[in-house]
């Protein structure tokens, strides 16, 4: 029973969905893995497959989650679920393995062919990552069409290019974002731009100058 687990917020672009999924009672290990929870702390010993005891001190047990998903990963399967409540229910009920299948709320656009191949052979290299500047650059190599999942909150102000060509950013697994990729080697760039904040900054600068 994983009843005393909290998952801190990932980034400054937090949205209500993230609060909703992390506020669920008795989060299962699959959902915690999706949220990148690498370590769990419990006041009681746990016997759960996928957890390995890492430390025991001061009446607390710390376990390493062997199934925690990485910050960036690829998936070769997806399930379209347009209803957000149904998508959340599937995740918290552990109806699918987030390591292999991604829930999306619309049909991915830009996948060149049927998704197939072994994701274990996919390679992701982080070229640049600056969350404050809203910049992510990755080099991704796959042997089949994929969804590249980024374990950060989806927001419509995120945009993406693949080898310099604009690609859609879709919502994945209720809270995260994903970019459709063709097979092969690609440079993926994601940028966050808030036009409202940009206007406010300019107005502030003009106000200082007057």
């Amino acid at each position: 029973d994983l009843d005393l687990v909290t998952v801190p917020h990932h980034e400054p672009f937090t949205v209500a969905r993230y609060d909703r999924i992390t506020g669920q009672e008795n989060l299962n290990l699959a959902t915690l893995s999706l949220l990148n929870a690498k370590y769990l702390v419990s006041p009681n010993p746990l016997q759960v497959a996928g957890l390995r005891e890492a430390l025991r001190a001061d009446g607390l047990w710390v376990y390493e989650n062997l199934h925690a998903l990485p910050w960036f990963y690829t998936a070769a399967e997806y399930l379209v679920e347009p209803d957000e409540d149904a998508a959340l229910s599937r995740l918290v009920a552990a109806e699918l393995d987030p390591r292999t299948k991604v829930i999306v709320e619309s049909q991915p656009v830009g996948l060149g062919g049927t998704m197939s191949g072994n994701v274990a052979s996919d390679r992701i290299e982080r070229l640049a990552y600056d969350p404050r500047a809203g910049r992510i650059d990755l080099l991704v190599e796959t042997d089949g069409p994929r969804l590249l999942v980024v374990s950060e909150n989806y927001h419509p102000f995120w945009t993406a290019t693949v080898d310099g060509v604009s690609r859609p950013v879709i919502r994945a697994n209720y809270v995260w974002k994903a970019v459709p990729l063709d097979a092969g080697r690609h440079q993926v760039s994601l940028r966050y731009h808030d036009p409202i904040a940009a206007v406010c900054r300019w107005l502030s600068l003009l106000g200082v100058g007057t």
Side-chain angles (χ1 to χ4, degrees):
D1 185 12
L2 306 177
D3 59 340
L4 291 176
V5 177
T6 59
V7 180
H9 294 281
H10 277 51
E11 49 156 38
F13 308 131
T14 292
V15 291
R17 288 193 184 207
Y18 189 84
D19 295 337
R20 188 178 179 193
I21 193 171
T22 56
Q24 298 289 315
E25 294 185 359
N26 299 322
L27 285 174
N28 58 65
L29 188 59
T31 306
L32 289 169
S33 298
L34 181 148
L35 295 172
N36 317 111
K38 295 182 178 180
Y39 293 92
L40 310 179
V41 180
S42 173
N44 302 301
L46 301 175
Q47 297 294 329
V48 178
L51 295 183
R52 180 171 62 193
E53 185 176 323
L55 178 67
R56 186 187 307 180
D58 299 327
L60 295 174
W61 282 258
V62 179
Y63 293 91
E64 180 184 3
N65 179 8
L66 303 178
H67 298 314
L69 287 169
W71 208 261
F72 311 107
Y73 61 96
T74 56
E77 297 182 58
Y78 66 88
L79 171 69
V80 178
E81 178 51 77
D83 183 82
E84 68 172 83
D85 291 333
L88 177 61
S89 295
R90 286 180 179 273
L91 287 175
V92 299
E95 291 186 6
L96 54 83
D97 186 348
R99 293 173 295 177
T100 58
K101 183 177 289 188
V102 176
I103 295 178
V104 296
E105 296 182 14
S106 60
Q107 188 69 30
V109 176
L111 289 174
T114 303
M115 294 175 72
S116 61
N118 182 13
V119 297
S121 63
D122 293 351
R123 295 177 57 252
I124 301 176
E125 179 183 351
R126 190 175 72 177
L127 303 177
Y129 179 63
D130 187 344
R132 287 189 175 275
R135 179 187 178 190
I136 302 172
D137 292 316
L138 305 170
L139 187 63
V140 185
E141 187 170 359
T142 74
D143 62 359
R146 297 284 189 268
L147 283 178
L148 169 65
V149 179
V150 177
S151 303
E152 291 184 354
N153 288 313
Y154 170 87
H155 195 284
F157 290 161
W158 279 101
T159 59
T161 60
V162 178
D163 301 325
V165 179
S166 179
R167 283 289 178 92
V169 179
I170 62 176
R171 195 191 299 269
N173 286 338
Y174 188 72
V175 284
W176 297 159
K177 48 184 173 278
V179 179
L181 296 178
D182 300 330
R185 183 181 175 92
H186 304 287
Q187 181 164 335
V188 182
S189 298
L190 293 103
R191 297 292 184 270
Y192 180 88
H193 175 68
D194 184 344
I196 299 175
V199 170
C200 291
R201 283 195 294 269
W202 277 107
L203 290 176
S204 297
L205 290 172
L206 290 174
V208 172
T210 57

